[in-house]
Amino acid sequence: MERAAGLKRVALSPREASDLEMTAVGALSPLTGFLCQRDYRSVIKEMRLDCGLVWALPVTLAVSEEQAAAIREGEEVALVDQSERLLGILEVAEKYRYDKETEVRACYGTTDPAHHGVAKVLEQGGVYLGGEVWLLDRPEPQFPAHHLDPAETRRAFADRGWKKVVGFQTRNPVHRAHEYIQKCALEICDGLLLHPLVGETKSDDIPADVRMQAYRVILEHYYPTDRTMLAVFPAAMRYAGPREAVWHAICRKNYGCTHFIVGRDHAGVGSYYGTYDAQRIFDRFGPGELGITPLCFEHTFFCRACGNMASSKTCPHGKENHVALSGTKVREMLYSGVVPPPEFSRPEVAQVLIDGLKVHAKA
Amino acid sequence: MERAAGLKRVALSPREASDLEMTAVGALSPLTGFLCQRDYRSVIKEMRLDCGLVWALPVTLAVSEEQAAAIREGEEVALVDQSERLLGILEVAEKYRYDKETEVRACYGTTDPAHHGVAKVLEQGGVYLGGEVWLLDRPEPQFPAHHLDPAETRRAFADRGWKKVVGFQTRNPVHRAHEYIQKCALEICDGLLLHPLVGETKSDDIPADVRMQAYRVILEHYYPTDRTMLAVFPAAMRYAGPREAVWHAICRKNYGCTHFIVGRDHAGVGSYYGTYDAQRIFDRFGPGELGITPLCFEHTFFCRACGNMASSKTCPHGKENHVALSGTKVREMLYSGVVPPPEFSRPEVAQVLIDGLKVHAKA
């Protein structure tokens, strides 16, 4: 830290800061820093690191041309957050220009600046700094009780004797559709890691603190405590759809999961991706190549004729029997204090969301 | 068939006759006949054929000492059923004595003659004939519309574009607990093969014709036709618990399944096996060794507090919320014309069973 005080400073975006922390704790293993050019190009083009291991998204640090000009390859720089707080050190192995259009087209499947993830790339500096990182000071965790590093979740799984653990990524509250697919997966596993993403998301996603309260409530009322674990995933959302699904899966392998749930339009936004693109992308990898098994689910709903949750795979009845609400509709109901039907949301969860969103609206 | 007319005749038990048919159609691949001594010993001791491939149960043809004395190794014998109808030919490669106690202890985990499968071994002849078989005349199928050979189910899966197919073995009607685990599995697969065993079972199991009608009814009312297939598994039940679970899985791989459901006490009878022995046995094999993925499920039930089907893995509520009926209790209800609660059985299924059992009782 003393040495860092004398170094040039590079301010990280929230996404870069969470990538730094995640790299340091092993959540992005085998990465040990921001990508250098060979790996970067290979990831963009082949979805693999230069060594051949699958890696789906660039983990990069962008600076402006001016900043880059002042930094020599081989030099150490201090990494600070947006409020100038020291986070870590980067040993700059390489600085290199990159083509934004090539990157966003490959990773996001679009160059549309209205896409949240694309916009972030377009607005960042034009030069990447690659090299090993050291984390010196961790950002204060927002949810300390649930801020478990990969080594900690892996140990916890081992302590509980869980051999098959399914990870569930989410940036939304858990409604009955999510509960259903989690429980389908849990039936064939030993434990469930409910692993909500709490890094940066779009401003219209439900705030993480409200979601965390809703997760605690649904676990308390509807899940056995000895089969579930709630921990946060400190990544920022990129909304890169299929590629982010693969990236999410690899990260969860690092946290000790053996299985990973991929829903419809996983990590999607708007209508940039086909509903099942994020599932089909897993077909590109040989069995065992990822080290984690994707479990792919269709759209699910409560069917009044079945008398249970189902999907088009498991229910033969017409739509008139299905309780289905769009995400937008549910958000509207919750923001205006209306409890969705119990076939859609557990009432305890709905109440937490209504109360939590009220507090946020006032703030 | 002409040649067969001049051969010595060996009468097959129902189990042996179904093994012959299944061998001939590839359901027992890689077997091509009744086991010779090296394979037999290896299967008993190691659960593997002599070549190392996993094989869990002996597929053997027993004759008496007297019969054996009249048969030379190298000779062909005609295989006939209990009513002397010609079924096929065995080229006798070996005849060998075997130790019944060793076999039943290894395969059934007990030497108790009250065990149905053990009794069958104890009452059969003391010499095995091993060698390749040819099927000349197939037994008339009891359910021709659903009598699909492995080549036929595999082709049907390919035609439907099913890549992941889960097989469900059963010798019981499908109640909601079974429906639930089938559908959990189907959610992560492309299709379900409902594959009831229709070979010889204990006399107190529900007759296959009644079960088949019940399967058709539940599929019609509660499963999408494009995701399910009903075909019969012509094997005889051995009630060998864990070993039979492995054997059932390997057979289903031959039928083209990629996944296989293993419930609690799979292929069990009485209290000879631990509830989860038939699941744990799969841990003995390396991934990929079986060529089919077991999906293991716990005891499931309807929970009134959850408002859905669940297991102890997915429901935290006390037993007072659970709708649970023993197999014996349900059988009693059905035989006396009482419809079990809808949380236990689909009403359409219960009615078919009640009507069917009435007909059998009269017959």
Side-chain angles (χ1 to χ4, degrees):
Chain A
M1 295 196 78
E2 239 168 67
R3 205 168 77 220
L7 300 176
K8 287 169 202 149
R9 300 165 89 79
V10 173
L12 303 186
S13 70
R15 197 269 294 155
E16 291 161 346
S18 82
D19 283 354
L20 167 65
E21 180 185 1
M22 287 175 52
T23 303
V25 300
L28 304 189
S29 173
L31 302 197
T32 54
F34 291 107
L35 293 183
C36 287
Q37 196 162 191
R38 281 172 76 104
D39 281 328
Y40 170 76
R41 292 220 168 131
S42 175
V43 167
I44 296 299
K45 206 172 157 195
E46 317 276 358
M47 271 203 289
R48 290 173 188 275
L49 296 170
D50 191 51
C51 65
L53 286 176
V54 178
W55 194 263
L57 286 175
V59 171
T60 50
L61 170 54
V63 293
S64 67
E65 292 278 351
E66 298 70 41
Q67 274 185 296
I71 294 168
R72 278 174 301 102
E73 290 185 351
E75 183 177 357
E76 285 182 340
V77 296
L79 304 175
V80 300
D81 68 11
Q82 299 283 305
S83 53
E84 290 284 315
R85 171 179 167 164
L86 178 68
L87 297 176
I89 285 180
L90 164 71
E91 189 180 307
V92 181
E94 280 182 11
K95 51 180 184 176
Y96 57 98
R97 290 196 185 81
Y98 64 102
D99 186 62
K100 291 185 176 185
E101 192 178 319
T102 306
E103 176 174 329
V104 298
R105 200 182 290 284
C107 297
Y108 299 91
T110 174
T111 57
D112 184 353
H115 181 295
H116 181 88
V118 170
K120 293 279 175 185
V121 175
L122 297 183
E123 75 198 19
Q124 73 188 8
V127 179
Y128 281 148
L129 303 181
E132 305 245 312
V133 295
W134 285 264
L135 183 68
L136 298 178
D137 193 16
R138 287 186 79 164
E140 204 62 51
Q142 201 186 346
F143 309 99
H146 301 287
H147 201 94
L148 301 177
D149 288 340
E152 293 170 313
T153 52
R154 289 199 305 260
R155 197 178 317 122
F157 299 161
D159 288 348
R160 294 175 179 210
W162 293 357
K163 284 180 188 157
K164 291 184 189 171
V165 184
V166 59
F168 187 81
Q169 145 71 28
T170 183
R171 61 177 206 268
N172 291 307
V174 172
H175 295 299
R176 287 199 66 180
H178 313 110
E179 178 188 333
Y180 172 64
I181 64 179
Q182 288 166 17
K183 288 184 171 180
C184 276
L186 181 51
E187 293 293 4
I188 59 157
C189 289
D190 305 312
L192 164 72
L193 176 65
L194 181 54
H195 212 211
L197 180 143
V198 297
E200 193 186 36
T201 58
K202 295 185 285 102
S203 56
D204 59 342
D205 281 349
I206 291 184
D209 61 332
V210 179
R211 287 190 286 124
M212 285 300 287
Q213 222 182 315
Y215 300 140
R216 282 189 214 105
V217 162
I218 198 168
L219 289 180
E220 182 193 334
H221 286 88
Y222 295 99
Y223 291 69
T225 49
D226 62 341
R227 292 289 185 178
T228 49
M229 195 179 299
L230 173 61
V232 298
F233 182 56
M237 268 312 291
R238 285 152 161 95
Y239 304 94
R243 280 203 182 217
E244 195 161 12
V246 175
W247 193 78
H248 279 163
I250 295 172
C251 294
R252 269 44 178 245
K253 177 185 65 176
N254 289 329
Y255 280 91
C257 296
T258 55
H259 292 71
F260 181 67
I261 291 173
V262 185
R264 49 201 277 282
D265 201 23
H266 186 107
V269 64
S271 53
Y272 293 101
Y273 312 110
T275 312
Y276 299 106
D277 288 358
Q279 300 184 347
R280 276 193 285 262
I281 196 172
F282 285 90
D283 296 340
R284 296 200 211 170
F285 311 111
E289 239 194 340
L290 289 180
I292 186 164
T293 304
L295 299 177
C296 298
F297 287 88
E298 303 240 347
H299 170 57
T300 62
F301 45 75
F302 189 91
C303 170
R304 293 208 181 85
C306 288
N308 47 235
M309 300 296 302
S311 75
S312 65
K313 276 183 179 175
T314 52
C315 161
H317 308 112
K319 277 197 192 311
E320 67 282 8
N321 299 288
H322 300 167
V323 180
L325 296 172
S326 74
T328 314
K329 176 74 193 156
V330 175
R331 222 188 316 258
E332 272 174 27
M333 295 176 80
L334 295 173
Y335 273 98
S336 54
V338 179
V339 177
E343 294 88 354
F344 187 88
S345 283
R346 296 295 187 183
E348 298 88 344
V349 171
Q351 204 50 59
V352 165
L353 295 175
I354 288 171
D355 296 347
L357 292 174
K358 236 181 252 166
V359 171
H360 270 269
K362 275 187 199 147
Chain B
M1 295 196 77
E2 240 167 66
R3 205 168 77 220
L7 300 176
K8 286 168 202 151
R9 299 165 88 80
V10 173
L12 303 186
S13 70
R15 197 268 295 156
E16 291 161 346
S18 81
D19 283 354
L20 167 64
E21 181 186 0
M22 287 176 52
T23 302
V25 299
L28 304 188
S29 174
L31 301 197
T32 54
F34 291 107
L35 293 182
C36 287
Q37 196 164 190
R38 282 172 76 104
D39 281 327
Y40 169 76
R41 291 222 169 129
S42 175
V43 167
I44 297 299
K45 206 172 157 196
E46 317 276 0
M47 271 203 291
R48 291 173 187 274
L49 296 170
D50 192 49
C51 65
L53 288 176
V54 177
W55 195 263
L57 286 174
V59 171
T60 50
L61 170 55
V63 293
S64 68
E65 292 278 351
E66 298 70 41
Q67 274 185 296
I71 294 170
R72 278 174 300 102
E73 291 183 351
E75 184 177 356
E76 287 182 341
V77 295
L79 304 175
V80 301
D81 70 11
Q82 300 282 307
S83 54
E84 289 285 314
R85 169 179 168 165
L86 178 69
L87 296 176
I89 285 179
L90 164 72
E91 189 180 307
V92 182
E94 279 181 13
K95 51 180 185 176
Y96 57 98
R97 291 196 185 80
Y98 64 103
D99 187 61
K100 292 185 176 184
E101 193 178 318
T102 306
E103 176 173 330
V104 298
R105 199 182 291 284
C107 298
Y108 300 90
T110 173
T111 58
D112 184 353
H115 181 294
H116 181 87
V118 171
K120 294 279 176 186
V121 175
L122 297 182
E123 76 199 18
Q124 73 189 6
V127 180
Y128 281 147
L129 303 180
E132 305 245 313
V133 294
W134 286 265
L135 183 67
L136 298 178
D137 194 14
R138 289 186 79 164
E140 204 62 52
Q142 200 186 348
F143 309 100
H146 302 286
H147 201 95
L148 301 177
D149 289 341
E152 293 170 312
T153 52
R154 290 199 304 261
R155 195 179 318 122
F157 299 161
D159 287 348
R160 293 175 180 212
W162 293 356
K163 284 180 189 158
K164 291 184 189 173
V165 185
V166 59
F168 187 81
Q169 145 71 28
T170 182
R171 59 178 207 266
N172 290 308
V174 171
H175 295 299
R176 286 199 65 181
H178 312 110
E179 179 189 333
Y180 172 63
I181 64 179
Q182 288 166 17
K183 288 185 170 179
C184 276
L186 181 51
E187 293 293 3
I188 59 157
C189 289
D190 305 312
L192 164 72
L193 175 65
L194 181 55
H195 213 211
L197 180 145
V198 297
E200 193 186 36
T201 58
K202 296 184 282 104
S203 56
D204 58 342
D205 281 348
I206 291 184
D209 60 332
V210 179
R211 286 190 286 123
M212 285 300 286
Q213 222 182 315
Y215 300 140
R216 280 189 215 106
V217 162
I218 197 168
L219 289 181
E220 182 193 335
H221 286 87
Y222 296 100
Y223 290 70
T225 49
D226 62 342
R227 293 290 184 177
T228 48
M229 194 180 297
L230 174 62
V232 298
F233 182 56
M237 269 311 292
R238 285 151 162 95
Y239 303 93
R243 281 204 181 217
E244 196 161 10
V246 174
W247 193 77
H248 279 163
I250 295 172
C251 294
R252 268 45 177 245
K253 177 185 64 176
N254 290 329
Y255 280 92
C257 296
T258 55
H259 292 71
F260 181 67
I261 291 173
V262 185
R264 50 201 277 281
D265 201 24
H266 186 107
V269 65
S271 52
Y272 293 100
Y273 311 111
T275 311
Y276 299 106
D277 288 359
Q279 301 184 347
R280 276 193 285 262
I281 195 172
F282 285 90
D283 296 340
R284 296 200 211 170
F285 311 112
E289 238 194 341
L290 288 179
I292 187 165
T293 304
L295 298 177
C296 298
F297 287 88
E298 303 241 346
H299 170 58
T300 62
F301 45 76
F302 188 91
C303 170
R304 293 207 182 86
C306 288
N308 48 236
M309 299 297 301
S311 75
S312 64
K313 277 182 178 176
T314 52
C315 161
H317 308 112
K319 277 195 192 311
E320 67 282 7
N321 300 288
H322 300 166
V323 180
L325 297 171
S326 73
T328 314
K329 176 73 193 158
V330 175
R331 222 188 316 258
E332 273 174 27
M333 295 175 79
L334 295 172
Y335 274 98
S336 54
V338 179
V339 177
E343 294 88 356
F344 187 88
S345 282
R346 296 294 188 183
E348 297 88 343
V349 171
Q351 204 50 58
V352 165
L353 295 175
I354 288 170
D355 296 346
L357 292 174
K358 236 181 250 166
V359 172
H360 269 269
K362 274 186 198 147

